[in-house]
Amino acid sequence: MPQVAIQIGGRTFEVACQPGEEAFLQSAAQMLDNEASPLIAQVGRMPESQMLLMAGLLLADKSIAMEERLKAAEEAAQVEPTRVEVPVIPPQLAETMAELASRAEALADEVDQKAKGWP
């Protein structure tokens, strides 16, 4: 089992992990260090357990806030879709238009016939 040296709050810790998880451990330790370092700068020296507890609580607080934002975003994305109504041509209008088209064709034929007989 690999041993990885991590730095948190200016202190070095040796931590064992599963093979292949070294990069994940280093990344997690960096996140914890990003929370612990400002604590040490503000408060000064503090016991390891208190430093790690406070840094962990700060990370948990950020995690909860992100989960709440994600949940709110998911809820906002699930808004009811807007209803779109597509106008439908009434059957009577379709029949009337077909009749008008038929009359127009008949008139066009009549005009053609008269034009052919025109000298």
Side-chain angles (χ1 to χ4, degrees):
M1 187 170 279
Q3 290 283 327
V4 179
I6 58 173
Q7 289 252 335
I8 300 171
R11 297 183 180 132
T12 302
F13 300 90
E14 287 287 325
V15 181
C17 65
Q18 296 294 323
E21 292 186 355
E22 296 88 351
F24 174 77
L25 180 58
Q26 287 288 354
S27 178
Q30 182 62 51
M31 289 176 68
L32 201 52
D33 185 52
N34 289 343
E35 298 300 324
S37 293
L39 282 173
I40 300 297
Q42 290 174 3
V43 178
R45 189 101 177 129
M46 66 172 58
E48 284 178 3
S49 59
Q50 186 178 6
M51 174 196 61
L52 293 172
L53 174 65
M54 292 301 295
L57 289 172
L58 289 170
L59 276 177
D61 183 55
K62 285 183 178 181
S63 177
I64 290 168
M66 290 299 287
E67 287 175 1
E68 288 173 355
R69 287 178 57 197
L70 178 60
K71 184 178 178 182
E74 287 173 347
E75 288 172 359
Q78 293 178 358
V79 174
E80 287 293 318
T82 304
R83 182 176 176 170
V84 177
E85 293 188 25
V86 179
V88 177
I89 299 174
Q92 302 89 351
L93 180 60
E95 291 171 10
T96 303
M97 290 181 75
E99 186 179 319
L100 286 172
S102 179
R103 285 184 187 175
E105 286 178 16
L107 285 171
D109 287 343
E110 191 177 320
V111 169
D112 260 357
Q113 291 297 325
K114 287 184 179 179
K116 288 181 184 175
W118 188 267

